[in-house]
């Protein structure tokens, strides 16, 4: 037969620092070597790459202990990688490839990832594939070091899972567990949806009633609108027609009025221009203010001159030797120059302050020296008088300019009055024209008032005046469809006015009874109904999904139950056969524990424990899907030895019972391969020989990879690998193909 497991590659895994490859070309491969050489690390590598997540199951404290830690002669590795290679001709794995490579790596940061044919894959997606191929980490397919009696010392529930894994039922268990999780999630979602529906339903009912009112209001509004359109159209159209009949006689008068109004606008513009000339008034005002300032200045200079003359008189009476003629002349000369500058100034305040300053200086000289006065002082007196005369001349010029401006202002005022008078004449003329027009518009005014009243009534209804006029537009100006005439006008005949008014009042009363409705109500109602329908459909879908999941779980339960029950009868029988072979007699059976653990007896016939449901060749019992949740119990009777429970068995006896169960499983449902680590360590020479013979017997049904120290087991192998550890602390592998 073709080997399913073809190769194992290790690199950086535990004691295997460098890349190590183990080929499995035959059905039985034995791995040998001294204790501590790293043999069991090979088994750990297989268990790890098949998805083991607990470090203690790999004989380590943490998963990063799987990476080669280094030795004094060999540095530590940064990552570990293990690859398993399978021959997939028989499609044991659901992968479209002849060879399937499954690998796993881990680095020092704890990041672990799986690859399937060099494509990254998640463990949750990988486990169902492995289960379908009947590969797992906790069953009897991989029996680690010190676990030779694992079937005996396991719980009834774990024994059942071991059997299911070998039978290929773990695939259905995983599917069932997934379906149960989805069912639980669906149940939670259904409760949420039900709660939302319960909360939403009253609101939806209210909104439906409001929506119904809204729809009825819309119908009434539409009917009333059509009736009002017809009612107002007929009135409006009649008035518009009468209005057009009186417009022609007054058209010429309107043209004349427009011309008159145009003339008035022109005259008003001219008047505005004349008004602009009155701006000279401000100029004259400013000039008069300047003249007043100069007059004030002149008065100030006169006062200063009087004071100066008084001081001159005082100084004339003083002794001549007390006067400083030269200093006074110099001061008066400077004052004379300053006086020329002051005459050019327009700022009266500045002139006044300057004269005050110079008079103060002159007074100081006279007060300090009292040395008399000379002819220069008199000259300065005359000069000041002359400056006063010049200032008066300037004032006179300003007054003449002011007079000119005043005359111009008077002329402008006369022109303005003339234009105002002419404009009033034009306005009177226009007014007279309007009066003539009004006399012709009297009839039109009456019609217009009626139209306005009609428009006000239309506006009271909340309608747009434009829409009313649009209804009355001539058919040549607007399409009949746009104007709505065929639908509206035909509603009312001239003889039906009272009936039409009565009907409009009735419809308005119905609208008032319905009341105002939020314009967003329809949108909210539709959204709520859509939400309610969506949730209802979602609930239906969830209920359908829940029902389908329940049906799937029932089908999976039935499949697991039927397949397990069918195989369990045969396994129990084979277990008894291999038990008798191992022990040279006695009796053993497997049964499903329903309520309590079985009680072992010394009787040759093994009684059924109370409450237990037995499934074996000798005993009948109930068989129902409830058996899915019960465990597998072991009942044995040894030849020449009395026991009351399995704990009374020796280590070798527990191993033999476990081996009997293992070979019973292989006989009924051979797995693709078995990985056994020193499972024969507790066997004596005779039982080791029997074990080796059974390996040879089953080599055509399954593939074996066995770690052993037993010669008989080695002799049953086709390929022998020797594992050693060199001085550098690194495991190495030597291979030897044995001739049959």
């Amino acid at each position: 037969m073709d080997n399913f497991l073809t190769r194992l590659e290790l690199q950086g895994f535990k004691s295997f620092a460098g890349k190590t490859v183990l080929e499995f070309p035959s059905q039985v491969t034995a791995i040998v070597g001294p204790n501590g050489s790293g043999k069991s690390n090979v088994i750990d590598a297989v268990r790890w790459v098949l998805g083991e997540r607990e470090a203690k199951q790999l004989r380590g404290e943490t998963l990063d202990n799987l990476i080669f830690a280094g030795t004094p002669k060999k540095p530590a590795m940064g990552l570990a990688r293990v690859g398993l290679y399978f021959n997939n001709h028989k499609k044991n794995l659901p992968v479209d490839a002849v060879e399937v490579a499954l690998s796993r790596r881990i680095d020092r940061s704890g990041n672990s990832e799986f690859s399937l044919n060099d494509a990254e894959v998640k463990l949750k997606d990988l486990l169902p594939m492995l289960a379908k191929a009947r590969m797992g980490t906790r069953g009897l397919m991989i029996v680690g070091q010190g676990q030779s009696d694992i079937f005996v010392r396991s719980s009834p529930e774990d024994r059942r899972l071991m059997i299911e894994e070998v039978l290929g039922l773990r695939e259905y268990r995983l599917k069932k567990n997934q379906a149960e999780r989805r069912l639980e999630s669906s149940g939670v979602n259904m409760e949420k949806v039900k709660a939302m529906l319960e909360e939403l339903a009253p609101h939806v009912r209210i909104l439906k009633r409001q929506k119904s009112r809204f729809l009825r209001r819309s119908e009434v509004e539409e009917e009333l609108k059509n009736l009002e359109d017809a009612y107002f159209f007929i009135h409006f159209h009649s008035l518009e027609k009468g209005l057009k009949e009186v417009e022609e006689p007054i058209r010429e008068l309107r043209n004349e009025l427009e011309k008159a109004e145009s003339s008035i606008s022109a005259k008003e513009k001219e008047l505005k221009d004349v008004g602009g000339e009155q701006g000279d008034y401000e100029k004259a005002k400013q000039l008069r203010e300047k003249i007043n300032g100069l007059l004030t200045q002149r008065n100030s200079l006169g006062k200063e001159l009087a004071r100066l003359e008084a001081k001159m008189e005082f100084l004339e009476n003083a002794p001549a030797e007390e006067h400083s003629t030269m200093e006074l002349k110099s001061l008066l000369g400077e004052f004379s120059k300053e006086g020329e500058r002051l005459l050019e100034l327009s700022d009266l305040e500045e002139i006044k302050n300057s004269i005050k300053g110079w008079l103060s200086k002159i007074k100081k000289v006279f007060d300090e020296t009292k040395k008399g006065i000379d002819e220069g002082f008199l000259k300065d007196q005359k000069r000041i008088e002359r400056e006063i005369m010049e200032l008066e001349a300037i004032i006179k010029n300003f007054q003449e300019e002011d007079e000119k401006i005043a005359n111009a202002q008077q002329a402008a005022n006369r022109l303005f009055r003339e234009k105002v008078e002419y404009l009033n004449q034009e306005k009177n003329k226009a007014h007279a024209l309007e009066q003539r027009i009004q006399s012709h518009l009297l009839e039109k005014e009456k019609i217009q008032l009626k139209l306005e009243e009609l428009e006000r009534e239309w506006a009271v209804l909340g309608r747009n005046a434009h829409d009313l006029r649009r209804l009355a537009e001539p058919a040549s100006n607007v399409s009949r469809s746009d104007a709505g005439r065929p639908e509206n006008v035909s509603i009312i005949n001239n003889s039906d006015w009272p009936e039409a008014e009565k009907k409009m009042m009735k419809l308005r009363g119905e609208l008032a009874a319905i009341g105002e409705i939020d314009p967003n109500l329809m949108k909210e109602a539709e959204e709520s109904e859509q939400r309610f329908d969506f949730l209802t459909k979602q609930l239906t879908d969830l209920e359908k999904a829940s029902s389908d999941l329940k049906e799937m779980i029932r089908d999976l339960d039935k499949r697991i139950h039927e397949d397990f029950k069918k195989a369990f009868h045969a396994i129990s029988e084979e277990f008894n056969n291999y038990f008798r072979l191992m022990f040279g007699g006695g009796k053993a059976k497997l049964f499903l524990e329903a309520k309590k653990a079985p009680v072992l007896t010394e009787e040759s016939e093994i009684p059924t424990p109370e409450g237990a449901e037995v499934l074996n060749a000798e005993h009948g019992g109930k068989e129902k899907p409830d058996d899915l949740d019960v465990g597998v119990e072991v009942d044995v009777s040894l030849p020449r030895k009395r026991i009351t429970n399995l704990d009374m068995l020796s280590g070798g006896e527990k191993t033999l019972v476990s081996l009997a169960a293992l070979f019973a499983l292989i006989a009924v449902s051979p797995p693709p391969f078995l990985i056994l680590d020193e499972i024969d360590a507790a066997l004596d020479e005779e039982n080791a020989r029997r074990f080796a013979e059974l390996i040879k017997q089953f080599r055509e049904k399954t593939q074996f990879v066995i770690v052993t120290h037993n010669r008989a087991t080695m002799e049953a192998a086709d390929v022998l690998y020797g594992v050693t550890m060199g001085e550098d602390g690194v495991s190495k592998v030597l291979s030897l193909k044995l001739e049959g």
Side-chain angles (χ1 to χ4, degrees):
M1 66 177 290
D2 294 334
N3 297 328
F4 180 55
L5 178 62
T6 61
R7 188 164 81 255
L8 171 66
E9 293 182 357
L10 307 94
Q11 186 170 6
F13 185 84
K14 286 193 170 184
S15 59
F16 294 90
K19 184 176 181 180
T20 304
V21 179
L22 285 80
E23 302 283 349
F24 304 111
S26 302
Q27 287 298 103
V28 183
T29 301
I31 301 174
V32 301
N35 292 333
S37 61
K39 303 185 303 298
S40 295
N41 291 341
V42 176
I43 309 302
D44 291 340
V46 176
R47 189 188 296 274
W48 182 64
V49 77
L50 290 179
E52 181 58 62
R53 288 172 287 185
E54 295 186 16
K56 66 178 183 179
Q57 298 294 332
L58 302 170
R59 302 178 302 126
E61 296 182 359
T62 59
L63 288 180
D64 61 358
N65 293 151
L66 302 178
I67 305 173
F68 180 72
T71 67
K73 295 185 178 182
K74 190 74 172 179
M77 305 292 288
L79 59 86
R81 179 188 176 277
V82 177
L84 277 180
Y85 295 83
F86 303 97
N87 180 357
N88 200 36
H89 280 95
K90 296 183 179 180
K91 299 299 180 184
N92 299 75
L93 288 166
V95 181
D96 189 18
V98 174
E99 183 181 62
V100 176
L102 175 63
S103 65
R104 187 178 183 182
R105 68 187 298 276
I106 187 172
D107 57 30
R108 290 290 180 187
S109 63
N111 296 322
S112 178
E113 61 182 37
F114 291 87
S115 295
L116 189 68
N117 284 356
D118 297 326
E120 186 175 352
V121 62
K122 301 296 182 182
L123 181 59
K124 65 180 182 67
D125 299 321
L126 182 62
L127 289 179
M129 299 173 61
L130 297 177
K132 188 175 182 64
R134 298 189 295 165
M135 290 188 287
T137 63
R138 301 294 179 86
L140 294 177
M141 289 188 62
I142 302 178
V143 180
Q145 189 178 32
Q147 297 179 329
S148 60
D149 60 347
I150 188 170
F151 190 80
V152 173
R153 57 185 172 87
S154 293
S155 67
E157 293 77 14
D158 287 342
R159 292 192 194 106
R160 174 160 186 146
L161 294 177
M162 292 177 185
I163 295 173
E164 287 184 357
E165 185 173 87
V166 176
L167 295 176
L169 301 181
R170 184 165 172 260
E171 174 188 5
Y172 305 123
R173 279 283 185 184
L174 291 174
K175 290 181 179 179
K176 179 186 174 183
N177 293 339
Q178 184 182 22
E180 287 176 340
R181 289 193 297 269
R182 291 171 57 190
L183 181 62
E184 183 180 359
S185 178
S186 294
V188 173
N189 291 333
M190 279 195 294
E191 292 302 318
K192 291 181 179 178
V193 172
K194 286 179 180 178
M196 287 188 286
L197 283 172
E198 290 177 359
E199 183 180 353
L200 187 60
H203 186 58
V204 170
R205 286 194 296 270
I206 294 173
L207 287 175
K208 281 185 176 180
R209 290 195 296 268
Q210 294 292 328
K211 181 181 177 182
S212 177
R213 291 175 59 202
F214 182 86
L215 293 174
R216 175 56 188 162
R217 182 180 180 89
S218 298
E219 293 174 359
V220 174
E221 286 177 341
E222 182 66 20
E223 184 179 359
L224 180 61
K225 179 181 179 301
N226 290 332
L227 189 59
E228 289 172 345
D229 286 351
Y231 183 87
F232 280 86
F233 165 73
I234 294 175
H235 279 73
F236 194 86
H237 187 267
S238 177
L239 292 173
E240 283 280 326
K241 184 179 180 182
L243 191 63
K244 290 177 181 179
E245 289 176 353
V246 300
E247 284 181 344
E248 187 64 30
I250 63 173
R251 192 178 303 278
E252 292 181 1
L253 291 175
R254 283 188 177 275
N255 291 335
E256 291 182 21
L257 180 61
E258 289 178 0
K259 292 177 181 179
E261 289 174 346
S262 178
S263 178
I264 290 171
S265 295
K267 298 301 180 183
E268 287 178 341
K269 186 177 182 304
E270 291 178 7
L271 186 62
K272 184 178 180 181
D273 294 338
V274 173
E277 296 177 2
Q278 292 182 321
D280 291 339
Y281 173 78
E282 292 296 327
K283 189 186 295 182
K285 182 180 178 182
Q286 294 175 2
L287 184 60
R288 283 193 291 274
E289 290 177 352
K290 193 169 184 178
I291 291 170
N292 292 332
L294 292 174
L295 290 173
T296 302
Q297 181 184 357
R298 184 191 62 181
N299 293 335
S300 179
L301 288 173
K303 291 178 181 179
E304 293 295 330
L305 181 61
R307 284 194 293 270
L308 181 61
E309 290 174 348
K311 288 184 180 184
M312 287 171 60
E313 184 179 355
F314 172 79
L315 293 173
E316 286 176 352
N317 297 322
E321 63 271 9
E322 296 179 0
H323 297 278
S324 180
T325 305
M326 295 300 293
E327 185 179 356
L328 185 59
K329 284 182 177 182
S330 177
L331 189 60
L332 291 175
E334 292 177 2
F335 179 72
S336 177
K337 293 178 181 179
E338 181 66 15
E340 294 176 357
R341 188 183 68 84
L342 293 175
L343 290 173
E344 297 176 355
L345 298 177
S346 60
D347 189 341
L348 299 178
E349 188 67 25
E350 184 179 353
I351 295 171
K352 180 181 177 181
N353 291 334
S354 182
I355 292 173
K356 284 182 178 180
W358 280 103
L359 293 174
S360 178
K361 291 180 182 180
I362 294 170
K363 181 180 180 298
K364 183 178 180 181
V365 172
F366 282 131
D367 290 341
E368 289 178 351
T369 61
K370 295 183 179 182
K371 291 183 178 181
I373 187 169
D374 60 7
E375 294 179 358
F377 190 87
L378 295 174
K379 291 179 181 179
D380 289 336
Q381 182 185 5
K382 293 179 179 180
R383 183 182 54 78
I384 292 174
E385 291 174 350
R386 187 174 60 254
E387 289 176 358
I388 293 174
M389 292 176 65
E390 291 175 353
L391 190 60
E392 289 177 346
I394 294 172
I395 293 172
K396 184 179 180 181
N397 291 335
F398 282 170
Q399 288 174 341
E400 290 175 355
E401 182 69 20
D402 182 45
E403 185 177 356
K404 291 178 181 178
I405 294 174
N407 293 334
Q409 183 66 41
Q410 291 176 0
N413 289 339
R414 285 195 300 274
L415 180 61
F416 183 80
R417 285 193 297 273
E418 290 174 0
K419 291 186 177 294
V420 168
E421 183 178 357
Y422 184 80
L423 179 61
N424 289 334
Q425 291 175 358
E426 290 294 314
K427 287 184 177 181
N428 292 334
K429 182 179 177 181
H431 181 70
L433 187 59
E434 287 179 348
Q435 291 295 323
R436 291 179 62 192
I437 293 174
Q438 288 299 322
S439 66
H440 292 281
L441 290 178
L442 181 61
E443 186 178 357
K444 182 180 180 179
E445 184 72 18
K446 295 179 181 178
I447 297 174
Q448 190 67 43
L449 290 174
K450 292 181 180 180
L451 284 171
E452 291 175 357
E453 179 64 25
L454 193 67
E455 289 179 348
R456 282 194 292 271
E457 292 179 8
W458 182 262
V460 170
L461 300 176
R463 310 288 286 277
N464 192 307
H466 175 74
D467 295 335
L468 180 60
R469 295 187 176 276
R470 187 165 172 264
L471 288 173
E473 290 177 356
S476 59
N477 296 339
V478 63
S479 69
R480 293 174 64 85
S481 175
D482 290 339
R485 289 181 173 80
E487 295 82 6
N488 298 334
V489 178
S490 60
I491 296 176
I492 304 174
N493 295 321
N494 289 332
S495 60
D496 296 331
W497 292 116
E499 188 64 28
E501 291 175 349
K502 187 184 296 182
K503 190 173 182 179
M504 285 190 293
M505 291 297 294
K506 181 181 179 182
L507 292 174
R508 289 167 184 164
E510 187 175 354
L511 284 178
I514 294 174
E516 294 294 328
I517 300 177
D518 188 350
N520 296 321
L521 175 69
M522 183 68 76
K523 181 180 179 182
E524 184 182 357
E526 290 177 355
E527 290 177 350
S528 298
E529 288 179 13
Q530 291 175 1
R531 175 67 174 166
F532 189 85
D533 293 342
F534 171 77
L535 291 174
T536 302
K537 184 178 182 304
Q538 191 177 37
L539 181 60
T540 302
D541 293 341
L542 287 170
E543 289 174 343
K544 176 65 167 57
S546 179
S547 177
D548 293 342
L549 287 170
K550 290 178 181 179
E551 182 65 26
M552 179 187 295
I553 292 171
R554 285 193 295 268
D555 292 342
L556 289 169
D557 281 345
K558 183 179 180 182
R559 178 70 178 272
I560 294 172
H561 172 70
E562 291 179 349
D563 290 358
F564 185 84
K565 177 185 69 176
K566 181 179 179 181
F568 191 76
H569 287 283
I571 292 170
S572 183
E573 291 180 0
E574 293 294 340
F575 176 61
N576 183 59
N577 293 335
Y578 287 105
F579 179 87
R580 293 173 63 83
L581 176 65
M582 293 292 185
F583 287 94
K587 194 170 185 179
K589 70 172 180 282
L590 304 175
F591 61 90
L592 297 179
E593 182 190 39
K595 292 184 179 181
K596 62 181 181 179
V599 178
L600 302 178
T601 70
E602 303 176 13
E603 304 295 330
S604 58
E605 291 292 326
I606 304 174
T608 302
E610 183 181 357
E613 299 174 359
V614 181
L615 299 175
N616 58 26
E618 286 88 13
H619 302 279
K622 297 179 182 179
E623 300 174 0
K624 52 184 182 179
D626 293 344
D627 295 338
L628 290 167
D629 298 323
V630 300
V632 174
E633 190 56 84
V634 180
D635 202 353
V636 298
S637 177
L638 300 179
R640 301 174 299 279
K641 185 176 181 179
R642 296 181 178 181
I643 63 171
T644 56
N645 58 63
L646 296 178
D647 291 335
M648 296 179 64
L649 297 173
S650 67
E653 290 169 340
K654 291 178 180 179
T655 297
L656 290 174
V657 174
S658 294
L659 287 173
L662 175 63
F663 286 111
L665 288 169
I666 298 173
V668 175
S669 180
F673 63 86
L674 290 171
I675 309 292
L676 308 175
D677 188 1
E678 298 187 16
I679 196 172
D680 54 359
L683 301 179
D684 56 24
E685 185 177 350
E686 180 61 26
N687 284 317
R689 184 188 59 78
R690 290 195 185 100
F691 174 74
E693 290 298 323
L694 289 172
I695 294 295
K696 294 177 182 179
Q697 176 183 334
F698 284 101
R699 60 178 292 129
E700 297 301 322
K701 292 187 175 183
T702 190
Q703 185 179 2
F704 293 90
V705 178
I706 308 171
V707 175
T708 183
H709 291 285
N710 194 288
R711 181 175 294 276
T713 306
M714 295 180 197
E715 292 175 352
D718 304 307
V719 176
L720 189 66
Y721 282 104
V723 180
T724 63
M725 182 170 288
E727 295 180 357
D728 56 359
V730 177
S731 297
K732 296 180 175 57
V733 174
L734 301 174
S735 64
L736 177 64
K737 186 174 182 180
L738 304 177
E739 300 293 335

